[in-house]
Amino acid sequence: MSILIDRDQGISSPALVPAEADLARHHGGAELSIGLINNMPDPALKATERQFMKLLQAAAGPRRIRFHCFSLPSVMRSPEAKWHVESEYSDLSDLKRQKFDGLIVTGAEPVAPELDQEPYWRDLTDLVDWAKTNTRSTIWSCLAAHAAVLHLDRIERQRLPAKCHGIFDCDAVTGDSLTREAPAPFKISHSRLNEVTERDLTQAGYQVLTRSVRAGVDIFVRQYASRFVFFQGHPEYDALSLQREYLRDIGRYLAREREIYPAVPVSYFDAPTEERLARFEKRARHQRHPALTNELPALNLRGDIAAGSAAAALFRNWLRDLAADTKAPLLAR
């Protein structure tokens, strides 16, 4: 799938993408080619596409973005999700036939005890090695960030005592083009069971850009021929992403697909909602049955979660840096 993203004209379907010659003539080659390697779990597959397309559209400024979707073929999929990927996404082999200005790689739901035992490990590590010299910058998101640093520097992620799940205030550690003009503090969604620590990262030569007192390292970077940017959190999440994950985990608990009842996301729901959810949890522990999901209370978010404000700044700056690094128009390469 190749989609043209233009801030003024919106998102065009592939059939409406202008000819490359016309783009070069009318826009002076001011176009960036961005690839999304979307490995998110099936329920989040389409939402992830939309989230990143909207972010890039809002951040594009005067530039046009040619947006390509891919997925690692070794990620396990349901028949419906597999059909969507095969019919709507470009084949991963097409990725390596061209150069991309930027790449965004998402994580996948783990199925093995260790990252290097995942069925997609070889495909992902091949992608890490390829991206070093075939992109100007690559973003590695959440589990993909953990996998990349394990492959690059054997940095092992550490299991957290409890899931890091919620919206956390993150502060800039150092001045960097990626965080300029960003709100302070950043409010970033995190949803993970593991972490890579600041001590391990800095000892291996990574630079930490943002961190949270409660959630630890947020964004960190390393320079190769490509600038690698790593997100431990999910700045791309929309306002309801954490709610969807939380309700999914409640459903899994009630269906006895998980044994631990999920904690309420941090700094996310308003106080009355948290009280209603605490009462529901007590009930769920005594009346554990899938049908109980029909009696979940009304959910209201806090008014200060500022969903997307940090992501808007991050992606605007990322695209600016990519454009500034462009030595020649993409279409001429």
Side-chain angles (χ1 to χ4, degrees):
M1 176 169 69
S2 175
I3 295 175
L4 190 72
I5 298 176
D6 185 294
R7 187 179 66 175
D8 297 324
Q9 298 180 16
I11 298 172
S12 303
S13 69
L16 299 177
V17 174
E20 291 186 348
D22 290 339
L23 284 173
R25 182 169 62 253
H26 293 299
H27 296 274
E31 179 182 282
L32 295 173
S33 183
I34 306 294
L36 170 66
I37 316 298
N38 187 2
N39 306 309
M40 290 292 277
D42 296 351
L45 186 68
K46 295 180 182 179
T48 301
E49 294 170 24
R50 292 192 298 270
Q51 287 163 0
F52 280 112
M53 280 195 288
K54 287 181 179 179
L55 280 172
L56 291 170
Q57 182 184 6
R63 290 171 290 278
R64 288 189 170 188
I65 310 296
R66 193 171 292 274
F67 184 69
H68 308 252
C69 282
F70 305 86
S71 185
L72 297 180
S74 45
V75 171
M76 298 173 65
R77 297 281 182 204
S78 67
E80 181 182 357
K82 187 176 180 182
W83 178 87
H84 176 72
V85 168
E86 290 177 348
S87 60
E88 299 293 334
Y89 284 22
S90 300
D91 191 274
L92 192 65
S93 61
D94 295 338
L95 177 73
K96 299 183 179 181
R97 296 194 185 104
Q98 48 189 310
K99 276 187 175 286
F100 280 78
D101 295 296
L103 204 63
I104 302 165
V105 184
T106 74
E109 190 163 22
V111 297
E114 301 294 337
L115 279 176
D116 57 6
Q117 297 171 10
E118 294 288 352
Y120 51 79
W121 179 251
R122 173 59 71 86
D123 285 340
L124 184 58
T125 55
D126 286 349
L127 181 63
V128 172
D129 295 336
W130 177 87
K132 277 185 179 181
T133 55
N134 289 277
T135 66
R136 294 192 174 101
S137 181
T138 294
I139 291 173
W140 304 93
S141 176
C142 203
L143 183 139
H146 292 172
V149 298
L150 175 62
H151 172 61
L152 292 166
D153 293 288
R154 302 310 302 173
I155 296 176
E156 299 275 355
R157 62 184 188 162
Q158 308 295 321
R159 186 78 172 188
L160 293 167
K163 185 176 183 179
C164 178
H165 191 220
I167 294 182
F168 298 89
D169 287 348
C170 300
D171 297 304
V173 176
T174 184
D176 189 87
S177 60
L178 196 65
T179 57
R180 63 178 174 248
E181 300 174 8
F186 275 42
K187 288 186 179 292
I188 299 289
S189 298
H190 280 251
S191 180
R192 51 189 168 83
L193 294 166
N194 302 273
E195 71 170 352
V196 288
T197 67
E198 184 166 356
R199 180 172 179 271
D200 288 344
L201 291 170
T202 55
Q203 285 184 346
Y206 293 81
Q207 181 184 18
V208 172
L209 299 189
T210 62
R211 71 162 77 93
S212 163
V213 172
R214 298 184 68 180
V217 173
D218 179 46
I219 302 173
F220 54 101
V221 297
R222 184 155 193 172
Q223 186 69 49
Y224 298 96
S226 172
R227 191 186 203 210
F228 278 10
V229 179
F230 304 86
F231 293 160
Q232 273 213 107
H234 288 279
E236 81 281 3
Y237 270 12
D238 61 35
L240 294 179
S241 293
L242 291 174
Q243 177 173 300
R244 288 191 291 266
E245 287 191 10
Y246 177 62
L247 295 179
R248 176 203 66 192
D249 288 347
I250 289 176
R252 287 177 174 177
Y253 172 82
L254 293 174
R256 300 183 184 276
E257 295 172 6
R258 58 176 286 162
E259 289 307 311
I260 299 175
Y261 193 91
V264 174
V266 173
S267 301
Y268 186 61
F269 294 116
D270 65 16
T273 298
E274 290 192 352
E275 291 175 7
R276 290 193 294 270
L277 287 171
R279 290 195 294 269
F280 181 85
E281 178 181 348
K282 289 181 181 178
R283 220 182 130 193
R285 291 182 182 278
H286 290 92
Q287 303 174 22
R288 194 172 177 184
H289 190 278
L292 200 59
T293 57
N294 298 323
E295 300 181 40
L296 274 159
L299 304 178
N300 295 306
L301 307 185
R302 287 174 49 156
D304 62 348
I305 62 171
S309 60
L314 288 171
F315 280 86
R316 181 174 63 249
N317 292 333
W318 187 59
L319 293 180
R320 281 179 183 171
D321 289 347
L322 288 177
D325 190 46
T326 302
K327 306 304 182 184
L330 180 63
L331 300 175
R333 284 189 285 151

